[in-house]
Amino acid sequence: MNEENTLLPCPFCGGTDALVEQLDSDASVVICESAIGEHCACLARGPVGVQQDDGEIQPGKDAAIEAWNRRAFAEHDPATAKPEPGRYVLA
């Protein structure tokens, strides 16, 4: 996994045990599976990433990771967050 595809820690629990799951033929989402208790997992889901071109091995994976990392970055440093046009950053 190259640097731009590295997932930042979960903005909800701070965990780093996350995966990118393919939802359908053209979209993927990041899901946090970090343990938050003895029998509990965070299960936070990131924004859905949609396929950007036909050559993607897992459609939407890069977009899902980018959206997750933007949200994780905003959570950890809301003053310097860069929201997408038309979207809000919760702080």
Side-chain angles (χ1 to χ4, degrees), residues 64-77:
I65 291 172
E66 182 181 326
W68 174 270
N69 286 346
R70 189 171 36 254
R71 190 173 71 170
F73 180 76
E75 177 67 23
H76 294 291
D77 192 359

Side-chain angles (χ1 to χ4, degrees), residues 16-34:
T16 57
D17 188 15
L19 59 87
V20 183
E21 180 177 296
Q22 187 169 341
L23 295 175
D24 54 32
S25 63
D26 66 351
S28 295
V29 68
V30 177
I31 302 172
C32 177
E33 294 188 329
S34 297

Side-chain angles (χ1 to χ4, degrees), residues 27-83:
S28 295
V29 68
V30 177
I31 302 172
C32 177
E33 294 188 329
S34 297
I36 57 173
E38 186 176 347
H39 302 289
C40 299
C42 176
L43 300 179
R45 297 170 67 95
V48 173
V50 179
Q51 182 176 4
Q52 302 299 309
D53 66 64
D54 291 333
E56 293 180 8
I57 295 171
Q58 180 179 342
K61 179 179 179 180
D62 293 338
I65 291 172
E66 182 181 326
W68 174 270
N69 286 346
R70 189 171 36 254
R71 190 173 71 170
F73 180 76
E75 177 67 23
H76 294 291
D77 192 359
T80 58
K82 298 175 186 167

